[in-house]
Amino acid sequence: MSLSWEIENYLEIQNDQVFIDGISAVELAREHGTPLFVYSERRIRHNIDRLRKVGAVIDCNLKLCYAAKAMSTMGILCAVKEADCDVEVNSGGELWKALRVGFRGPQIIFNGTSKEIWELEMAIEAEIYAIQVDSPVELAMIETTAKQLGKQANVSLRLVPEIESATHHGLQTALLTSKFGMMPDEALDCFRQYKDSPHLNLAGIHLHIGSQNPEPSVYGEAFEVLFGNLREIFGETGVRLSHVNLGGGFPVDYISGDENAEQFSVERRQMFGADFEPANAISNAWAAVKQAAENADASHLLDGITLLLEPGRSIIADAGVLVTSVRNIKQRPVSQPTANRQPPTDDWLLTDAGFNLLLSMATYHWYYHLISASRASAAHDFPYKLAGPLCDGGDVYFDVEGEGRLPDHRLLPKNVELGEVLVLLNAGAYTLSQASQYNARFLPPVVLIRNDGHAELIRRQDSFDDLVASDLWAR
Ligand SMILES: Cc1ncc(COP(=O)(O)O)c(C=O)c1O
């Protein structure tokens, strides 16, 4: 009988050990050390294929752009490109990496709230598919830059549609209180002002509701908003858009039956355990928009249009795990002993992976299911306090502020030993890409298990030199 977190032909228990694409996590830890990220190219492809199913439920073209900020190690970007998926970048640095990996301009879209001129120049020179414009001020900058380069920039205007998702506050991006995008009225004014500019191709409109959206219905709301704006833009300015962009945000089930998560509030359980088929959500949204278009005698506006999606998490989160080791063990009373009372003790495990690698564990109290790599089928029923290696009291796997946003204890097999290898599941997104060398800790190596089943080191562990690579100092 398989356990709830197992995924057939990818993440499985063999001989009591966690195996990833047929390779033992314990063996990988022995060969490469820990902490270690392990990714599966097959799973990346599986996830891209799953999203590609959206193309079959809409009567228009689909353009899938992987959100590079979720994980942009070059070997991963390369695997995404080889899976025929395009890319979304958020900075000149990510744009540079995408171009370096071999994405062509028309395969790239560029988001961001604070783009600099050099970044715009790079994007315009590369003739990317769309710069997603965050404000009217930015659009003016893009026009000026394109003019100076003697070029035309392809742009898509990012709207802030005031759609609320039941995700974490920090991951909401479509509320007026968020920092992103422009009001639909402002966008309309931009279309009026720039529709005849020879330096701007006003190609589309864009929104992104948020990340880890638990409710499929928000995609219907978002599509309705996009279509309403598309119609208004055409009606008021005559500009016919060639694409609309619904953003990313499809959820990943971070819990998958994990008993640790029973301590969550209902809302957090729903968010972390969210799971729906993107194709179903978009199918319903498309049907509603098509009907609205027919009712308004505006179906022609959907003819030949391209729908863009820019998912990150749903491509890469469950394709990666973080392998860590227990480096220290201690027992500690939960409170001060008194003369007539000996308080209970907690068993503490100190690992080599903390918020230097899992930043959102600290910022968003993000949850990663933890299992023993060498005793995977043993009962995970003994409570431990878990913490990382940093010299920082907030580097813990529980809610240090005591507000219960993470379980106080993690359940693992009894008698966890020094050196025991543990695996954090669904750790592929927004982890290494947010990691730091805090405490002068080395950024870890990354192994990608290729389609043919061989494990390839795609990033080496940092060296001492890497710790000072950018420092300018005289000895
Ligand atoms: C504009 C934009 N697009 C796409 C994404 C990717 O979202 P996700 O990784 O949840 O699919 C994000 C992340 O929040 C984003 O801000």
Side-chain angles (χ1 to χ4, degrees), residues 27 215 283 297 339 412 417 436 471 473:
E27 282 306 314
E215 302 283 354
S283 168
D297 212 8
L412 286 165
E417 290 178 356
S436 76
D471 290 2
W473 63 309

Side-chain angles (χ1 to χ4, degrees), residues 67 69 88 111 158 206 208 211-212 248-249 310-313 430:
K69 71 174 180 173
E88 180 255 0
N111 267 301
R158 178 166 183 171
H206 165 242
H208 170 71
S211 197
Q212 186 72 5
E310 43 187 38
R313 193 185 297 280
Y430 304 106

Side-chain angles (χ1 to χ4, degrees), residues 49-63:
D49 287 345
R50 175 178 180 234
L51 286 155
R52 215 172 255 134
K53 288 190 184 135
V54 169
V57 300
I58 54 177
D59 313 319
C60 67
N61 303 319
L62 174 72
K63 189 174 175 70

Side-chain angles (χ1 to χ4, degrees), residues 160-180:
V160 57
E162 185 68 2
I163 294 175
E164 184 158 14
S165 155
T167 188
H168 188 284
H169 289 303
L171 301 179
Q172 300 261 4
T173 55
L175 294 176
L176 297 187
T177 48
S178 82
K179 66 173 189 165
F180 299 98

